[in-house]
Amino acid sequence: IHERGYVHRDIKTGNILVTRDPGRPPTAIVIDLGLVKANQARRDAASPPTTEVGRMLCTPGYTSPEQAAGLPVDRRADVYSMAVTLYRVLAGRLPFHDARGQPVMFVLAKHIYNEPTMLAEAAAGADIPPKIAQVIESALRKRPEDRPPTMLAFAEALRVAASEATSVAPRR
């Protein structure tokens, strides 16, 4: 999606299907392209609006700080949402678990202003390699320019962290 100049804007656990063909590693497929938007660089004055003024489209628990604030988004917003998704898979909860059941604006404010619970603390006992946790947490930074610049860079950083973790200690 990113390589074609679009931003998904709704990466979350429910929008990723994992398939496994016999004898092959699992494959993740991103679905639900209902909120996909052309990246700012691909838009011009003649481009039609993609979201109504004053209307926010997102899943609050997974939305990036810039999207929560109603600012322009690029692929780094999806990197943030993927980090939230991985956090949820590893910790069994969202980074701002204390906002669960609260009004939407409270959840969005958490993404904008608060730091998430560290992954190692949220997933105590899960034995997550520290380098993997660090990569995921780097993608949860508030400022887009402080996150991995692309989903491919994020994936590569995770791959490197995972390979370092398996070379240090045998996997259980």
Side-chain angles (χ1 to χ4, degrees):
I1 294 169
H2 291 170
E3 290 176 8
R4 294 198 173 166
Y6 296 92
V7 181
H8 189 278
R9 300 191 308 159
D10 199 25
I11 299 286
K12 60 184 179 181
T13 52
N15 284 343
I16 300 174
L17 297 178
V18 179
T19 64
R20 176 172 276 207
D21 291 329
R24 302 193 62 166
T27 301
I29 302 167
V30 176
I31 62 168
D32 190 358
L33 304 178
L35 297 183
V36 169
K37 179 178 181 176
N39 216 356
Q40 284 297 109
R42 293 183 56 103
R43 299 181 52 73
D44 60 28
S47 297
T50 55
T51 308
E52 295 174 33
V53 174
R55 185 171 180 198
M56 180 176 289
L57 300 172
C58 65
T59 301
Y62 294 83
T63 196
S64 68
E66 60 273 23
Q67 191 172 1
L71 300 171
V73 299
D74 61 23
R75 56 190 171 189
R76 295 169 298 184
D78 285 347
V79 170
Y80 181 95
S81 297
M82 180 58 77
V84 172
T85 301
L86 293 173
Y87 186 109
R88 169 98 191 271
V89 168
L90 293 170
R93 61 176 229 171
L94 293 170
F96 299 106
H97 182 71
D98 59 333
R100 188 170 183 222
Q102 297 295 322
V104 170
M105 294 310 291
F106 184 83
V107 176
L108 296 176
K110 288 280 194 176
H111 284 282
I112 297 168
Y113 301 111
N114 296 82
E115 292 302 321
T117 303
M118 300 300 281
L119 185 54
E121 181 184 331
D127 198 26
I128 299 167
K131 290 193 179 210
I132 291 176
Q134 289 170 358
V135 171
I136 293 169
E137 289 165 354
S138 77
L140 290 173
R141 293 192 178 126
K142 299 297 176 198
R143 294 171 10 121
E145 55 272 16
D146 294 338
R147 295 181 210 136
T150 66
M151 200 67 80
L152 292 175
F154 182 41
E156 179 61 16
L158 285 168
R159 188 195 66 71
V160 168
S163 68
E164 289 174 6
T166 56
S167 68
V168 171
R171 188 175 179 168
R172 295 183 213 177

